[in-house]
Every structure is written in C-alpha cells, then in structure tokens.
Amino acid sequence: MKTGIIEHLGHRDVLLPGLIAEALRANDRAKVRLSVLQAAVRHAAAPDASRSPLTQECRTAGLDPVAMEELVASAVADTAGEVSAPGLAALGEAIWGDVEAMAQGVAAADPGAAEPAQARLLALREAHALGRTDSIAAGEVARLTGLPGETGDSLHRLIMDLHRALNRLAVAHAEEDVAGARVSGLTTGDRRLVEAFMRGLNATRGLKFDHPGLGTHAARSGEHLTIQNDIGETDAHVVVITVEPEAVSVTYTDVHLRRARFFTGLLSDVPLAWSGLDRKTAEGLADEGVFYLVTGRCESPDAAIREAVLEAIGANLVFLIDWNKARKVLRTAIPKEEAVRVLEWAARHRCGQRAFLELGGGELLAAAVQHAAPARIGFGERLDGVLGRDGAVDFLKSVLRICAETLKEGSSARLARDRIEAELMRHLERIEATLFAIVVRQAGLAREVAAEVAAALVAERSGVGFDHTALAAAARRREEKADRLALDARQKAARFEAAPAIQRLSDHVEEAVDELEQAAFIASLLPANVPSDILAPLSQLCAAAVRGAEAAASGAAAAAAVPAGQRIDAEDALASADLLADLEHIGDAEERTVTGRVLRGGADLTVALCALDLARALERATDRLAGYGHALRGHVLAELAL
C-alpha cells in the first residue's frame, strides 16, 4: 500500500476520489442491506405474502443475493413482535460498518463536516440493538429506517445526510471533467462509456432551460463503473447506472408511479430487461412515504450496444424534470391518460415540457383562450369539450413544440403566445370544417333518397315494379338520420359561434331531405298503370334532384377548404352553386310538363293525384337545393373578401 507514503509527501488529496468512491459504494450497500432488513420484518409478519426479489439490487451493490434471500426467507416473529433470523446480527454489523465507511469518506475530505455525523452514528449505535444478536424488534427497525421530524434522528436520515455530503465532495474533488461529467478513477475504457452517456445527456440537456439538475459524476470502484445523475431535487428521485465488463444496469427510484412507468416506456426500444416496479416506503417522503424502484439490465458482449444503452438513458433524463407538474397542468384540459400521451410525444419529438412550464404552463393556456376565443370557450371549460379529444391533444402537442422552439431560438415569450393563439384559432376553424362535413353527410342522404325514388320510377317504366313499402321505410330512416345531423349542426354552430351561413346551408339541405322523403312516400303509393309520358318527366325530375344533392355535397366540401386559400376550391364551390340554379330551372320545367299532361286529362284520378304530388315534392326539393346554392355562393364570396 502506498497510502502512507502519499500522505507523508503531503499529497493526500490524490487519494480522495478513490476514498469518496468507496464511500459511495458503501452507501449503495447500506441501502440494500436496510432493504433486506425491512424485507425480513415484512416476511416475518406475513410469511405467505408475495415479495419482490432483491437479487438485482444485491448484485448491483456487490452483495451475495442468495445469502440475502435466505436471511429474509428464514425470518420469523414471536407474539411480542421480535423478529429473528440466522445472520441478522451479521447483517446489522455490516450496516453499521457501511455507514462508518461513509462517514470516513466524508472525514477524508472534510473532517469538520464528518465530526457531527460520526457523533450521530455513535449515538444511534448505542441506542439500538441492531447487530448485537440475531433478533430485533420490528418497531426498532421502523425507527431505524424511518425519517422522523426535524428534532429526531434515525439511521436512514444519517445515511441520506452522508450521501448528500459525499455527492458534494465527489463533485468538488473529481479528478477531471469528461464531456461535462465530473469523474474520478476512470480507466481508458470507462471514458468511452461516460462519453456515451454524456453524448445522450448533452443532446437534450438544453431542454431543461433554466431548471437546475442533470449534474453527473462517475467513479470506478473495483469491477464497477458507477454513473449517477441528480435528475431533480426530490430525495427519492434517483438514477444510478452500474457498468460491468459486459453489462449495464440502471436503477431508478421515484415517488411518482406514473413517472416511473413513463421513464421505462421512453426506453421501450432499448435492449433493457426491466424488473417489476417495487413499492417501497420511508417516512418523511412525499406521497405518504411511498416510492417506487425499478431496475433494468442489458447484458451484451458488444461494446457498441452497451454504449447505445448509456446514450439512450442519458438522452431521456431531461424529460423527467417537472414531469408531474406538467401532467397536472395538461390534465385540466384533457383526460389524464391523454396528458401522458402528450408528454410521451413531447419526449420522443425532443421538445419536452420544461419550456411550456417556463413560459407559464396553465396561465399560458388560459391567456390563449382569453385572447383568441373568449366567447367560444367558457371559463374553466376543458379543451377536449370544445375541440374534441383528438383536437385538444393535437393542439397541446403544438403548444409544447412552439414553446420549445421559441426558447431554443431565443425568441420572445410574446411570439410564443401569438403563435399559440393562432394555433388555437386554426383548431377552432376546424370546427367549421366539421360543420361542412355534416352538411356533406346530409347531402349524401338526400342523394340516397332521390336515387331510390329514381330507381323505383325506372323499375316502374320497365314493367318490373318495385317494393313500395321498402321504398317509403328506407326514405323515412334516412330522413330521421338527416334530422339528427341537422340538430347536431345547430348545436355545434351555436356553441362555437360558427358563421351563420353554414347553419343556413344545413337547414336548406334538411328541408330538401324532407321534401325528398315526402316524394318517396308518394312514389310508394303509385298505382301500376302510370302512363310512360308521365313517368318520363318524373324521372327527369328525380335525375335533377340526384344531381342537385351531388352538387350540394361537392360544393360543401370545396367551401370547407376556401379559408385555406385554395382558389380552385372557391371556383369549384361557385360552380356547384351555378349548377344548382340550373337544376332548379330543369325541375320547374319538368314539373310543368307533368302538370300539363295531367290536366289535359285521360289519366286515372289516383294516377293524376300521385303524379302531381310527386312532381311538386321533387320540384320543391330542387327549390330547396337552389336556396342552398344561393347561400353557398354568399358564404364563399364573403370568405374571399376577407
């Protein structure tokens, strides 16, 4: 050992990184051994209950997992709550030894800071029976592993305080900087591994903006390289990566179960085999002391694969910062499962949530609504109730993207707000597109009814005949469906203050469907002896109604695209309006032909009445469609004038 010589020469500092690294390894062992102690107490209290294996945690900390599992499995409790297990004394002694090693690591770099910790360690050891025998009271374990109030102390609190001190010392006494990580004791191969992790971390680090965090330090200790990153400020929010000769292990703890699942989901394409999420408890932490632990492991002889795993882990850490805060803001606008979807999208598209929160978060959304659509979206109203679930999700994705782009480009917050308001207006304009889609569906129903009447007349002229009852029933079903569509259009138009012309278009088509349903009813009553010179103009009338319904549908589809600035769509919509006016004239002429033929006499009274009523119903349908064409023309010209 050269320690004595180095100290004698006055270069003791050169030993500090190694001492601190070993103390950090002792911290890992102490935490796992405390978990084993807690697991033994739980097993003794409920031997038949299922328990999570500690194999991976023990392996990562350099402990024998078989021995630890055997200790837990052998634990029993008596009626007084005393827990016994072979090896419990040795486990307790090892825990005290680990904490002593941590305190010595602190003392090596900062003796003044270590003295209070060593005094606390001595007091705790004298006050507790841990390590003296193979028995311990369950209540004593709870006191050792809990986090009492500010005036109390526990072994768990001492370990946490020493760990914080060691982390500070590790940064202060690191031997060198590797791609932004403070490192000590690295081999040549370790440098490549740290560089791979930092390559991923640095690729996305900027997305945290002004938020603290993502400081990294790495150290070699024995056969392991350990990389630790301080993701955030929560005590239980930790990621530790251990690199062995042919394996990479990541241990992640979090007080938020959803965020832990989110993290593993982000790495779903990375060759990591994940353990189940273990639920842990510790007094003094958020959410009633509950936190969750998950480990992932990649075993591969291929160095490129191991480096890719490290890079992927590093690249995704930034998306954990303020994740739960962003989720809470988003779920005021959309369902909570959709909020997670938006955050997943933001991570995968490398924009994240930090820029959104930095620019105001919920206040940013509220301001966009207030400025862009105060009359359309009420106070406290969720966006998915206005834009629909998919529309709201799409809008919020755009918001997170715009925020990230704005801050990365160094643009003003005012520009971000303007872009978000414009994006909201575009989504609200899509509501008018939705109304046009309803009109298209209404026109489609009108065409179906007119086409069925036309087919019935053709069948009658050919002598084949048709099912009179089925014709009337089918038309009635379509008319009822058209009524429901019209009601839906009215409700949406009123709710979103859509252009009145669009509502008028829907009303005109609804009236046309009503007339066509009446025509189908009358056609179902036609006798079998209708002269062909009456059927012919009736068929022409039906053909005009069919073409009119088709023109109404194509005109609505074209008009929906006019706000996007497509001139060809405006021209198509106006052409549809012109055609509807021409078809009305054709309808008028054919209706007069039928009327003239009936009034000249010679037809059966029933035939005459049916023919007249059918012609008038069809002619009124073409009139309603012509009115639709007039309203369509007015709407398109108004859009073009904007």
Side-chain angles (χ1 to χ4, degrees), residues 21 23 80 125 154 213 324 330 382 441 471 478 533 548 551 559:
R125 192 160 189 174
S154 71
N324 201 51
L330 293 175
R382 284 165 52 119
R441 291 169 63 193
L471 174 65
R478 289 184 170 84
D533 59 347

Side-chain angles (χ1 to χ4, degrees), residues 605-625:
L605 180 60
T606 302
V607 170
L609 290 175
C610 282
L612 286 174
D613 279 354
L614 179 56
R616 289 166 183 167
L618 291 170
E619 190 274 334
R620 288 194 300 271
T622 60
D623 280 350
R624 302 296 182 266
L625 291 172

Side-chain angles (χ1 to χ4, degrees), residues 75 94 157 316 342 502:
R157 183 179 292 282
N316 282 288
V342 170
I502 303 178

Side-chain angles (χ1 to χ4, degrees), residues 11 55 75 84 102 203 230 241 267 283 419 495 551 560 603 630 634:
H11 294 289
T55 304
S84 301
M102 293 176 68
D230 62 333
I241 303 162
L267 297 172
E283 294 180 14
R419 290 179 62 190
R495 180 181 181 82
H630 180 71

Side-chain angles (χ1 to χ4, degrees), residues 456-463 466 468 522-539 594 597-598 602-612 614:
L457 293 177
V458 168
E460 188 67 25
R461 291 178 68 186
S462 64
F466 61 93
H468 294 242
I522 297 168
S524 72
L525 301 177
L526 280 174
N529 58 342
V530 180
S532 60
D533 59 347
I534 292 179
L535 287 174
L538 287 174
S539 295
V594 173
R597 170 61 184 83
V598 168
D604 177 80
L605 180 60
T606 302
V607 170
L609 290 175
C610 282
L612 286 174
L614 179 56

Side-chain angles (χ1 to χ4, degrees), residues 374-376 431-432 435 491-500:
R376 295 191 183 190
I431 299 299
E432 294 191 352
L435 292 175
Q491 291 173 340
K492 282 184 168 62
R495 180 181 181 82
F496 305 123
E497 296 185 346

Side-chain angles (χ1 to χ4, degrees), residues 361-380:
E363 293 178 0
L364 183 68
L365 292 178
V369 170
Q370 182 179 1
H371 294 149
R376 295 191 183 190
I377 306 175
F379 177 77

